[in-house]
Amino acid sequence: MVYPNNSTVGEAASTCLDMLANSYQSCRLGRHTRGGGSEVYQDGLVPVQIPDSRPDIVFDNYRETCEELGLSRHAFVDQLLTQFLSGSQIPVQGTRPTNNVVIYMVDPFNDEALLPHYCAAFAVFVDSYALRAKRAGISYEAELILQIVPLDFLVKCDQITIPPPKAYSSLAFEVYNRCSAAARTSRSMPSPHASASAVQLAKPVPKAVDFRLNSQPPADLLADDPSLHLAYSWEPDEQWLSCAWTDNLGTLQWNAVYCLGYRRLDFYDAFSETVEEILDTTKDMLQPANLPWRLYIVKDGPLQQRELAVWQTQSNSEFYQRQVTTTILVVDSDPPLSLRPGRGPVQLPQLSAALPVTPLATSPQVMTPDQSSPAASHTPLRTAAQQPATPSATGFTENDPSARLIDVVSETWTMISPLPIQDPYISTPHLASITISGYLLKRAGPDERDGLLTLGVSLVSGDLSSSKSEAVAEKKHEKLLIEVLKMYSDLATLARLRGTEDRRTGVLPWHVAAARKGRDAVRLSMTWGEREESNIGS
């Protein structure tokens, strides 16, 4: 853990590492051990000298310390080499290490605009680490992960800081989710796109079993066609494009950010090259290659006609020899449909006693005794047969194998709209035409007065070439969109459980939320870079 050189902060950092180790063990996430030390660094604690509180001086010292840490003789390179030799395993080309190396950096400023400085310092450490591994003759590199910890999580100036165990467990799960799955398993070289998340969705029960006689029977009768979801966030005038991949269960997970170049007159030329690279990565994920795959490409925002043409052309070129069905969609996190909570039940005003009351003709008149009369205080008791049945208290405590625990806030609905999600008052000649639209509805809170959250999903292009009539095509479009909305509902639950979306109000699927977060991070970094250039110029 890299932290500002202070005795109080050092003690808090040591306590934090101990609590993280306990959280890892209690949550059964594996082992969380401190890195080896040297004459300068002990027990995984790396102090940074900060003579001045100016951010530029602080981050210069961070970069120098990270460079010394990567080049240190007793750093993680030699430690991993010792682990291989002690296990009678000779590191060869293509092997992966058995550990993930997590670098914790304490943020004393708590300013999101300064996060690129920590990333730059971490990049210096990675370069120094690779140089040290090359000098040591090691033909592999460990998985390096950066985790930024706010200083307020460790110590505060005006009060005693004691984070609850839940906070340490959340941090442990966050670190676990960011670690590589290849470093946790054996040396059989699993897929680099395999998810390392602690939370994955359960495999659903198959809809039907195909018992028809075929010349080429499927390998697994209980398995549907596998699906892969690809989300990207990009505007035609932006230089960066953010992508995220996942499958229906979250077992595959990958993020990437692509640069389309600087100061180019036509970004669509670079966009076409980027789409080709994205589909190359997608092809590596579509394994086994002999299975019929379904690829769902979704954009976070409106889709231009030129973008649609690029996706269709590139996908036909990349998958012409494989059984891949491509579907292109768009999502709108702020659709025109909004469902607001009602005002509640309407209470009628009480009638005055002076107003005449006319009894209904179909009901006999019933005399009600006055509450002040003696007869009103003597109500005959019901017999045992007339008493309402009271549920047994033991009925709620017995284990019911068919009982299910349902989170009311996670309850969702799907709705198909007869009209596309487009504003008719805005002229959009360059937007791709929408075939059919739908909505994913989710509760905003446990109370009905909290209302519903909406996510608009529109189908732009789908492989329905076998449709012989327009009516049959509309039915297939509707069935396809309903299936996509159900998958997005599950992926939205995965995003909330992994912390990518808000646990209560999050409605975006995981891959869309991850692509949006990548776009926001790049925008923040670009804003910081422009500000630094202006400061240098002035």
Side-chain angles (χ1 to χ4, degrees), residues 111-151:
D111 186 2
E112 293 184 355
L114 299 177
L115 294 181
H117 288 282
Y118 299 101
C119 298
F122 179 72
V124 172
F125 167 76
V126 173
D127 295 339
S128 303
Y129 178 88
L131 181 61
R132 178 71 180 92
K134 184 177 180 180
R135 292 176 180 176
I138 303 176
S139 59
Y140 69 94
E141 296 181 3
E143 299 292 338
L144 305 178
I145 297 100
L146 171 64
Q147 179 65 44
I148 300 176
V149 180
L151 181 61

Coordinates of all heavy atoms in Angstrom, one line a residue, residues 111-151:
D111 N -10.4 13.8 -4.9 CA -10.8 14.6 -6.0 C -10.8 13.7 -7.2 O -9.7 13.2 -7.6 CB -10.0 15.8 -6.2 CG -10.5 16.8 -7.2 OD1 -11.6 16.5 -7.8 OD2 -9.9 17.8 -7.5
E112 N -11.9 13.5 -7.9 CA -12.0 12.6 -9.0 C -11.2 13.2 -10.2 O -10.7 12.4 -11.0 CB -13.4 12.4 -9.5 CG -14.3 11.7 -8.5 CD -15.7 11.4 -9.0 OE1 -16.0 11.9 -10.1 OE2 -16.5 10.7 -8.4
A113 N -11.0 14.5 -10.3 CA -10.3 15.1 -11.4 C -8.8 14.7 -11.3 O -8.1 14.8 -12.3 CB -10.4 16.6 -11.4
L114 N -8.3 14.3 -10.1 CA -6.9 14.0 -9.9 C -6.6 12.5 -10.1 O -5.5 12.1 -9.9 CB -6.4 14.4 -8.6 CG -6.5 16.0 -8.3 CD1 -6.0 16.3 -6.9 CD2 -5.7 16.7 -9.3
L115 N -7.6 11.7 -10.4 CA -7.4 10.2 -10.5 C -6.5 9.9 -11.6 O -5.7 8.9 -11.5 CB -8.8 9.6 -10.7 CG -9.8 9.6 -9.6 CD1 -11.0 8.9 -9.9 CD2 -9.1 9.0 -8.3
P116 N -6.4 10.6 -12.8 CA -5.4 10.3 -13.8 C -4.0 10.3 -13.3 O -3.1 9.6 -13.8 CB -5.7 11.3 -14.9 CG -7.1 11.7 -14.7 CD -7.4 11.6 -13.3
H117 N -3.7 11.2 -12.3 CA -2.3 11.2 -11.7 C -1.9 9.9 -11.1 O -0.8 9.4 -11.3 CB -2.2 12.3 -10.7 CG -2.3 13.7 -11.2 ND1 -1.2 14.3 -11.8 CD2 -3.3 14.6 -11.3 CE1 -1.5 15.5 -12.2 NE2 -2.8 15.7 -11.9
Y118 N -2.9 9.2 -10.4 CA -2.6 7.9 -9.8 C -2.4 6.9 -10.9 O -1.6 6.0 -10.8 CB -3.7 7.5 -8.8 CG -3.9 8.5 -7.7 CD1 -4.9 9.4 -7.7 CD2 -3.0 8.4 -6.6 CE1 -5.0 10.3 -6.6 CE2 -3.1 9.3 -5.5 CZ -4.2 10.3 -5.5 OH -4.3 11.1 -4.5
C119 N -3.2 7.0 -11.9 CA -3.1 6.0 -13.0 C -1.7 6.2 -13.7 O -1.1 5.2 -14.1 CB -4.2 6.2 -14.1 SG -5.8 5.9 -13.4
A120 N -1.2 7.5 -13.9 CA 0.1 7.7 -14.4 C 1.2 7.1 -13.6 O 2.2 6.5 -14.1 CB 0.3 9.2 -14.6
A121 N 1.1 7.3 -12.2 CA 2.0 6.7 -11.3 C 2.0 5.2 -11.4 O 3.1 4.5 -11.4 CB 1.8 7.1 -9.9
F122 N 0.8 4.6 -11.5 CA 0.7 3.1 -11.7 C 1.4 2.7 -13.0 O 2.0 1.6 -13.0 CB -0.7 2.7 -11.6 CG -0.9 1.2 -11.7 CD1 -0.6 0.4 -10.7 CD2 -1.5 0.7 -12.9 CE1 -0.8 -1.0 -10.8 CE2 -1.7 -0.6 -13.0 CZ -1.3 -1.5 -12.0
A123 N 1.2 3.4 -14.1 CA 1.8 3.1 -15.3 C 3.3 3.1 -15.2 O 4.0 2.2 -15.8 CB 1.3 4.0 -16.4
V124 N 3.9 4.0 -14.4 CA 5.3 4.0 -14.2 C 5.8 2.7 -13.5 O 6.8 2.1 -13.8 CB 5.7 5.2 -13.4 CG1 7.2 5.2 -13.0 CG2 5.5 6.5 -14.3
F125 N 5.0 2.3 -12.5 CA 5.3 1.1 -11.8 C 5.2 -0.1 -12.8 O 6.1 -1.0 -12.7 CB 4.3 0.9 -10.7 CG 4.3 -0.5 -10.1 CD1 5.4 -0.9 -9.2 CD2 3.3 -1.4 -10.4 CE1 5.4 -2.2 -8.7 CE2 3.4 -2.7 -9.8 CZ 4.4 -3.1 -9.0
V126 N 4.2 -0.2 -13.6 CA 4.1 -1.3 -14.6 C 5.3 -1.4 -15.5 O 5.9 -2.5 -15.7 CB 2.8 -1.2 -15.4 CG1 2.7 -2.3 -16.5 CG2 1.6 -1.3 -14.4
D127 N 5.7 -0.2 -16.0 CA 6.9 -0.2 -16.9 C 8.2 -0.7 -16.1 O 9.0 -1.5 -16.7 CB 7.1 1.2 -17.5 CG 6.0 1.6 -18.4 OD1 5.3 0.7 -18.9 OD2 5.8 2.8 -18.6
S128 N 8.3 -0.2 -14.9 CA 9.5 -0.6 -14.1 C 9.4 -2.1 -13.8 O 10.5 -2.8 -13.8 CB 9.6 0.3 -12.9 OG 9.6 1.6 -13.2
Y129 N 8.3 -2.6 -13.5 CA 8.1 -4.0 -13.1 C 8.4 -4.9 -14.3 O 9.1 -5.9 -14.2 CB 6.6 -4.2 -12.7 CG 6.3 -5.6 -12.4 CD1 6.5 -6.1 -11.1 CD2 5.8 -6.5 -13.4 CE1 6.2 -7.5 -10.8 CE2 5.5 -7.8 -13.1 CZ 5.6 -8.3 -11.8 OH 5.3 -9.6 -11.5
A130 N 8.0 -4.5 -15.6 CA 8.3 -5.3 -16.7 C 9.8 -5.2 -17.0 O 10.4 -6.2 -17.4 CB 7.5 -4.7 -17.9
L131 N 10.4 -4.1 -16.8 CA 11.9 -4.0 -17.0 C 12.6 -4.9 -16.0 O 13.6 -5.6 -16.3 CB 12.3 -2.6 -16.8 CG 13.8 -2.3 -17.0 CD1 14.3 -2.7 -18.4 CD2 14.1 -0.8 -16.8
R132 N 12.2 -4.9 -14.7 CA 12.8 -5.8 -13.7 C 12.6 -7.3 -14.1 O 13.5 -8.1 -13.9 CB 12.2 -5.5 -12.4 CG 12.7 -6.3 -11.2 CD 14.1 -5.9 -10.9 NE 14.7 -6.7 -9.8 CZ 15.3 -7.9 -10.0 NH1 15.6 -8.3 -11.2 NH2 15.8 -8.6 -9.0
A133 N 11.4 -7.6 -14.6 CA 11.2 -9.0 -15.0 C 12.1 -9.4 -16.1 O 12.6 -10.5 -16.2 CB 9.7 -9.2 -15.3
K134 N 12.3 -8.5 -17.1 CA 13.1 -8.8 -18.2 C 14.6 -9.0 -17.8 O 15.3 -9.9 -18.2 CB 13.0 -7.7 -19.2 CG 13.8 -7.9 -20.5 CD 13.6 -6.8 -21.5 CE 14.4 -7.0 -22.8 NZ 14.2 -5.9 -23.7
R135 N 15.0 -8.2 -16.8 CA 16.4 -8.3 -16.3 C 16.6 -9.6 -15.5 O 17.6 -10.2 -15.5 CB 16.7 -7.1 -15.4 CG 16.9 -5.8 -16.2 CD 17.1 -4.7 -15.2 NE 17.3 -3.4 -15.9 CZ 17.4 -2.2 -15.3 NH1 17.5 -2.2 -13.9 NH2 17.5 -1.1 -16.0
A136 N 15.5 -10.0 -14.8 CA 15.6 -11.3 -14.1 C 15.5 -12.5 -14.9 O 15.6 -13.6 -14.4 CB 14.5 -11.3 -13.0
G137 N 15.2 -12.4 -16.2 CA 15.1 -13.5 -17.1 C 13.8 -14.3 -17.0 O 13.7 -15.4 -17.3
I138 N 12.7 -13.6 -16.5 CA 11.4 -14.2 -16.3 C 10.6 -13.9 -17.6 O 10.5 -12.8 -18.0 CB 10.7 -13.7 -15.1 CG1 11.5 -14.0 -13.9 CG2 9.3 -14.4 -14.9 CD1 11.0 -13.4 -12.6
S139 N 10.0 -15.0 -18.2 CA 9.3 -14.8 -19.5 C 7.8 -14.6 -19.3 O 7.1 -14.7 -20.2 CB 9.5 -16.1 -20.3 OG 9.0 -17.2 -19.6
Y140 N 7.4 -14.2 -18.1 CA 6.0 -13.9 -17.9 C 5.9 -12.8 -17.0 O 6.8 -12.4 -16.3 CB 5.2 -15.1 -17.3 CG 5.7 -15.4 -15.9 CD1 5.0 -14.9 -14.8 CD2 6.8 -16.2 -15.6 CE1 5.4 -15.2 -13.5 CE2 7.2 -16.5 -14.4 CZ 6.5 -16.0 -13.3 OH 6.9 -16.2 -12.0
E141 N 4.7 -12.2 -16.9 CA 4.4 -11.1 -16.0 C 3.2 -11.3 -15.2 O 2.3 -12.0 -15.6 CB 4.2 -9.8 -16.9 CG 5.4 -9.3 -17.7 CD 5.1 -8.1 -18.4 OE1 4.0 -7.5 -18.3 OE2 6.0 -7.6 -19.2
A142 N 3.2 -10.8 -14.0 CA 2.0 -11.0 -13.1 C 0.9 -10.1 -13.5 O 1.1 -9.2 -14.2 CB 2.5 -10.8 -11.6
E143 N -0.3 -10.4 -13.0 CA -1.4 -9.6 -13.2 C -1.4 -8.4 -12.2 O -1.4 -8.7 -10.9 CB -2.7 -10.4 -13.0 CG -2.9 -11.6 -13.9 CD -3.1 -11.1 -15.4 OE1 -3.6 -9.9 -15.5 OE2 -2.9 -11.9 -16.3
L144 N -1.3 -7.2 -12.7 CA -1.1 -6.0 -11.8 C -2.5 -5.3 -11.8 O -3.1 -5.0 -12.9 CB 0.0 -5.1 -12.4 CG 1.3 -5.8 -12.5 CD1 2.3 -4.8 -13.1 CD2 1.8 -6.4 -11.2
I145 N -2.9 -4.9 -10.6 CA -4.2 -4.3 -10.4 C -4.0 -3.0 -9.6 O -3.2 -3.1 -8.6 CB -5.3 -5.2 -9.8 CG1 -5.6 -6.4 -10.7 CG2 -6.5 -4.4 -9.5 CD1 -4.8 -7.6 -10.3
L146 N -4.6 -1.9 -9.9 CA -4.5 -0.7 -9.2 C -5.9 -0.5 -8.4 O -6.9 -0.6 -9.0 CB -4.3 0.5 -10.1 CG -4.4 1.9 -9.4 CD1 -3.4 2.1 -8.4 CD2 -4.4 3.0 -10.5
Q147 N -5.8 -0.2 -7.1 CA -6.9 0.1 -6.3 C -6.6 1.3 -5.5 O -5.7 1.4 -4.7 CB -7.2 -1.1 -5.3 CG -8.4 -0.9 -4.4 CD -9.7 -0.7 -5.2 OE1 -10.0 -1.5 -6.1 NE2 -10.5 0.2 -4.8
I148 N -7.4 2.4 -5.7 CA -7.3 3.6 -5.0 C -8.2 3.7 -3.8 O -9.4 3.4 -3.9 CB -7.6 4.8 -6.0 CG1 -6.7 4.8 -7.2 CG2 -7.5 6.1 -5.3 CD1 -7.0 5.8 -8.2
V149 N -7.6 4.0 -2.7 CA -8.3 4.0 -1.4 C -8.3 5.5 -0.9 O -7.3 6.1 -0.8 CB -7.7 3.1 -0.3 CG1 -8.4 3.1 1.0 CG2 -7.6 1.7 -0.9
P150 N -9.5 6.1 -0.6 CA -9.5 7.4 -0.1 C -8.8 7.5 1.3 O -8.9 6.5 2.1 CB -11.0 7.8 0.0 CG -11.7 6.8 -0.9 CD -10.8 5.5 -0.9
L151 N -8.2 8.6 1.6 CA -7.6 8.8 2.9 C -8.6 8.8 4.0 O -8.3 8.3 5.1 CB -6.8 10.1 2.9 CG -6.0 10.4 4.2 CD1 -5.0 9.3 4.5 CD2 -5.3 11.8 4.1

